[in-house]
Amino acid sequence: MPELPEVEVSRQGLLPYLPGHPLQAALFRVPKLRQPLSPIWAEEMAGHTLQGIARRGKYLLFDFDSQTGGGWLILHLGMSGSLRLVAPGTPPGKHDHVDLVFPHKVLRLKDPRRFGSLVWVRGPQVLDHPLLAPLGIEPLAGEFDGDWLFQATRGRQQPIKQLLMDAHRLVGVGNIYAAESLFRARISPLAPAGRLSRERCARLAAAVREVLAESIAAGGSSVRDYVHSDGGAGSFQLHCAVYGRAGEPCPVCGKPVKVVRQGGRSSFYCPRCQRP
DNA sequence: CGTTACCCCTGGAGGC
DNA sequence: TGCCTCCAGGGGTAAC
């Protein structure tokens, strides 16, 4: 479910409710997600006040008094994770694996596939954690533009879609938004990255930023519903032009959308509009 | 160093 | 109705 827009919308949805409140308890109902969930973490976290929620790529970073003796809770939603705010005492449903209990609200993590990550890091530093340190640049920050993309692709024969999705270069662009960005930029996902012109790199970088920003904006308008309702990410998702639409007509030219496998993932594109 | 294969899991869709 | 296969928005690690 979650790509960068969903993670950012979740963050924005939590901000009005959680920072400033003390954590009463952390409940782990499964022994592990991607990593083991240590009961010691729950002990160390309890009693600390949430000072803020940051985001790095698709990771949410919960600041529990990190500068004054506490630490950071790193959360990644994986493929199927979602967050909800529920009233204290609400019984957990299936796959509700983690609760962060505040006095007025419970932040509940549901993750059927358990591909999510939850890690507690003591102390003030978090960005140097092994999960975060190797991450590439943020697509919505100033550093990411056509010039950056042009430089990053020089000498690379890797297909552009796979480079876009490489979190060690650029964070936050997953399978859906890679497909939609490439469609908007009229570039084939199969195009060798190093052969893209400066102009096409500029077009693609702009498309990535537009697609992500539009999706966040669309979600932002229904943020309250998102974290308070059934938590179904995707309800606010960008309307897809090509993703998941194999065989359907391209919205621009009408030619059927094609699907190919790249790096084990499905790539959807219009063979007429999107050129190598 | 670059690229691929596999793995972690559950659930939904579709074929038979 | 059941059983089977395939697929799914991610990413870390090992192997070539």
Side-chain angles (χ1 to χ4, degrees):
Chain A
M1 293 187 179
E3 297 194 20
L4 186 146
E6 287 80 0
V7 175
E8 176 60 19
V9 165
S10 296
R11 188 184 77 86
Q12 291 177 12
L14 299 177
L15 285 180
Y17 301 98
L18 296 185
H21 295 277
L23 182 72
Q24 291 185 320
L27 305 179
F28 304 146
R29 298 193 183 86
V30 288
K32 65 186 277 289
L33 296 175
R34 279 189 63 85
Q35 292 87 5
L37 299 172
S38 166
I40 296 174
W41 293 352
E43 291 176 24
E44 293 184 358
M45 293 166 61
H48 286 296
T49 294
L50 184 65
Q51 299 297 332
I53 309 171
R55 179 186 60 76
R56 179 76 176 94
K58 297 174 189 169
Y59 288 90
L60 286 175
L61 312 175
F62 294 84
D63 178 355
F64 283 105
D65 289 332
S66 67
Q67 308 303 307
T68 54
W72 293 86
L73 186 69
I74 303 174
L75 171 66
H76 193 295
L77 295 173
M79 291 275 269
S80 59
S82 61
L83 293 171
R84 266 193 306 167
L85 286 174
V86 299
T90 305
K94 200 177 183 185
H95 304 126
D96 286 342
H97 300 314
V98 175
D99 279 357
L100 299 184
V101 183
F102 295 89
H104 62 313
K105 288 284 183 185
V106 174
L107 178 60
R108 181 160 283 173
L109 171 66
K110 176 178 182 173
D111 186 5
R113 293 178 73 180
R114 281 178 262 156
F115 287 178
S117 284
L118 195 70
V119 177
W120 168 249
V121 184
R122 294 177 63 173
Q125 303 296 324
V126 69
L127 292 179
D128 57 358
H129 186 276
L131 284 175
L132 308 178
L135 295 179
I137 69 168
E138 291 284 337
L140 294 177
E143 195 184 351
F144 176 69
D145 59 13
D147 288 339
W148 180 91
L149 189 57
F150 184 74
Q151 293 302 327
T153 51
R154 290 315 90 184
R156 313 289 318 229
Q157 85 294 8
Q158 185 182 36
I160 183 59
K161 181 188 177 234
Q162 287 171 258
L163 189 143
L164 274 186
M165 291 177 64
D166 181 356
H168 293 346
R169 299 179 181 280
L170 177 69
V171 295
V173 179
N175 207 28
I176 294 179
Y177 295 105
E180 295 300 309
S181 300
L182 286 162
F183 175 77
R184 188 173 297 210
R186 304 191 302 280
I187 297 169
S188 167
L190 303 165
R195 294 220 276 275
L196 293 178
S197 68
R198 193 175 279 277
E199 184 194 348
R200 299 183 92 205
C201 284
R203 212 163 69 210
L204 181 52
V208 168
R209 295 180 76 134
E210 288 168 14
V211 167
L212 294 177
E214 285 172 20
S215 188
I216 291 170
S221 62
S222 60
V223 121
R224 185 174 297 253
D225 292 340
Y226 175 56
V227 290
H228 281 295
S229 71
D230 64 358
S235 58
F236 53 85
Q237 197 167 276
L238 185 78
H239 177 75
C240 293
V242 290
Y243 179 82
R245 296 184 177 275
E248 297 180 37
C250 165
V252 170
C253 77
K255 194 171 169 68
V257 171
K258 281 190 69 173
V259 58
V260 296
R261 298 293 287 185
Q262 287 183 283
R265 316 293 294 277
S266 292
S267 293
F268 300 88
Y269 70 106
C270 172
R272 181 183 292 168
C273 295
Q274 296 176 252
R275 294 307 169 84

